[in-house]
Amino acid sequence: MSQCRARGLQRLLRCKHASGSKASCSRLVLGIETSCDDTGAAVMDETGTILGESLHSQKEVHLRSGGIIPTVAQQLHRENIERVVQEALDRSGVTPAELCAVATTVKPGLALSLGVGLQFSQRFVREHNKPFIPIHHMEAHALTVRMLHPLTFPFLVLLVSGGHSLLAVARGVRDFLLLGHTLDEAPGDTLDKVARRLSLRKHPQCFTLSGGQAIELLAKDGDRKRFGFRTPMGQTPDCCFSFAGLRNQITMLIKKKEAEEGVEEGTLLSCVNDIAAATQHTVALHLAKRTHRAVLSGGVASNQYIRKALMIITEATGLRLLCPPAKFCTDNGVMIAWNGVERLREGNGILPPDVDVSYEPK
Ligand code: KG4
Ligand code: ZN
């Protein structure tokens, strides 16, 4: 960046608002998330206080169609982004002029979904002459815990969601050492597919829940010992994960049970609770076995059973387990705003309004 441009950016990064709004003179960030199926926005001050937020979830629509259809997700983001951002601003009592920067997820995620948030944000920062902070979605999940606890680097992060599964050392705001990742699918994806194969949408308690949530609920009344699944990768002593083989074991069992009960695929089995309990137990065991000191985030991390399994590991090793509450684990605008605050504090990765940024799905 030229010196003149850098000075211009510095000027833009000064505190813009009088103390009329809820915040005292602290720099304000608008965070925007559209990487998958949640349209989220939040306004946050530099101390991490959430001044206003709004979230529109597409879960219901995608549950009905049996999975996320990217063009549908894109359309829903388009229909909601303007309103969601305006709601976050209105609730915070902050005007666009008072913002110090806009932070938006630009990777990784669904191309069509990322595009909506990025396009909206670039228009917004140009119109209001605000710096832009492009955010890595996984970095945001990993840093959320620092919004809630006074946690210093380095710490270990276990990130488990519908799209990802990774174990990394967080060494700094933009500095992560990857220790392990999934070799096939992410645990949330596995739970969603198992839930679909079990037709949990037809279960009276589960039709509004994501696959992971449905399995956690049903497992509460299930016997996890009735069916034994092999924990994946028992012979590989590293930090990687694998869930496809487990899903195969579960599918075989479901087929066997359907044959025994004389029912077709698509019918609710009488033993769904026990299958859910055994599934959840094996996922928890696999994650726990590969994790020692953990800071946990991502949608799957809201699972209380998985948290308990990790607690056993951390207690045995004398370490501390920190997990953001469920609403900060699933996708939202707050975690993006917080990531923006972290960047702002470090003066790292902040771009002038007119720089062209492209999204990266992978
Ligand atoms: O982080 P997230 O909202 O989106 C991604 O970035 O993937 O995570 C969504 C995933 C879904 O696969 C969902 O089934 C799973 O997290 N999930 C859960 C629970 N709540 C959501 N998995 C297990 N237990 C839960 N309570
Ligand atoms: Zn996520």
Side-chain angles (χ1 to χ4, degrees):
M1 209 186 305
S2 74
Q3 268 201 340
C4 171
R5 240 173 148 199
R7 269 200 301 276
L9 186 58
Q10 285 311 318
R11 225 181 2 259
L12 289 181
L13 286 170
R14 288 195 201 117
C15 187
K16 291 289 171 342
H17 63 102
S19 35
S21 52
K22 277 192 229 167
S24 59
C25 204
S26 165
R27 294 184 295 178
L28 306 177
V29 176
L30 168 65
I32 298 178
E33 157 67 31
T34 67
S35 69
C36 188
D37 58 348
D38 294 295
T39 317
V43 178
M44 182 176 278
D45 74 11
E46 217 178 343
T47 69
T49 303
I50 303 162
L51 302 179
E53 63 178 301
S54 177
L55 185 66
H56 175 265
S57 168
Q58 307 176 355
K59 195 174 75 186
E60 291 266 325
V61 177
H62 300 311
L63 272 174
R64 253 181 276 136
S65 59
I68 299 175
I69 301 167
T71 47
V72 174
Q74 178 188 43
Q75 184 56 28
L76 291 170
H77 282 305
R78 279 189 183 145
E79 286 168 15
N80 289 287
I81 187 147
E82 191 104 35
R83 173 183 63 79
V84 165
V85 170
Q86 195 54 51
E87 248 169 40
L89 285 166
D90 290 347
R91 287 171 186 165
S92 66
V94 168
T95 63
E98 292 174 315
L99 292 168
C100 178
V102 177
T104 303
T105 308
V106 301
K107 64 182 165 185
L110 297 173
L112 295 179
S113 295
L114 289 166
V116 178
L118 180 58
Q119 208 182 20
F120 176 92
S121 304
Q122 294 232 283
R123 210 173 356 101
F124 189 95
V125 295
R126 280 166 198 174
E127 186 184 333
H128 300 287
N129 196 28
K130 299 292 164 189
F132 182 59
I133 310 178
I135 298 292
H136 190 301
H137 184 81
M138 307 309 280
E139 180 181 310
H141 270 307
L143 295 176
T144 302
V145 69
R146 278 167 47 89
M147 180 180 90
L148 305 158
H149 301 273
L151 177 68
T152 52
F153 296 109
F155 55 85
L156 199 70
V157 186
L158 172 62
L159 201 54
V160 274
S161 73
H164 299 271
S165 156
L166 62 85
L167 199 53
V169 182
R171 299 187 289 201
V173 172
R174 297 185 83 185
D175 182 8
F176 292 83
L177 175 68
L178 190 63
L179 301 178
H181 55 89
T182 181
L183 301 179
D184 36 60
E185 58 193 42
D189 191 21
T190 309
L191 294 173
D192 291 341
K193 285 176 175 153
V194 168
R196 230 175 291 150
R197 183 61 184 80
L198 284 169
S199 302
L200 297 188
R201 283 273 299 149
K202 294 186 181 161
H203 195 288
Q205 284 177 289
C206 298
F207 61 93
T208 60
L209 303 180
S210 68
Q213 286 171 322
I215 285 178
E216 180 171 26
L217 182 75
L218 295 182
K220 289 199 171 99
D221 298 316
D223 174 8
R224 70 169 169 82
K225 297 202 179 112
R226 177 158 166 214
F227 305 116
F229 297 126
R230 267 185 324 281
T231 314
M233 300 179 76
Q235 305 303 315
T236 326
D238 63 15
C239 288
C240 283
F241 304 94
S242 165
F243 296 93
L246 171 62
R247 183 154 64 81
N248 194 39
Q249 291 182 65
I250 300 166
T251 308
M252 307 278 274
L253 174 77
I254 295 172
K255 282 188 180 153
K256 187 165 152 250
K257 287 290 147 194
E258 282 168 351
E260 277 175 28
E261 294 192 12
V263 297
E264 302 255 305
E265 177 174 343
T267 314
L268 272 178
L269 285 169
S270 63
C271 56
V272 275
N273 292 76
D274 300 335
I275 296 179
T279 300
Q280 176 178 251
H281 178 71
T282 315
V283 168
L285 205 62
H286 183 40
L287 293 175
K289 277 187 171 173
R290 298 176 108 71
T291 310
H292 275 157
R293 184 187 187 207
V295 168
L296 185 57
S297 195
V300 178
S302 51
N303 184 297
Q304 295 302 322
Y305 190 87
I306 292 174
R307 287 185 176 195
K308 259 187 219 144
L310 287 161
M311 187 87 80
I312 293 168
I313 298 287
T314 50
E315 275 173 5
T317 47
L319 297 162
R320 197 159 60 114
L321 177 71
L322 297 173
C323 310
K327 70 165 186 158
F328 291 128
C329 277
T330 44
D331 293 352
N332 60 78
V334 172
M335 70 180 194
I336 307 303
W338 170 254
N339 201 155
V341 166
E342 292 255 36
R343 294 274 197 89
L344 206 60
R345 286 177 177 176
E346 293 216 330
N348 190 338
I350 306 166
L351 305 174
D354 56 340
V355 171
D356 274 324
V357 177
S358 28
Y359 59 79
E360 294 170 44
K362 287 277 176 208

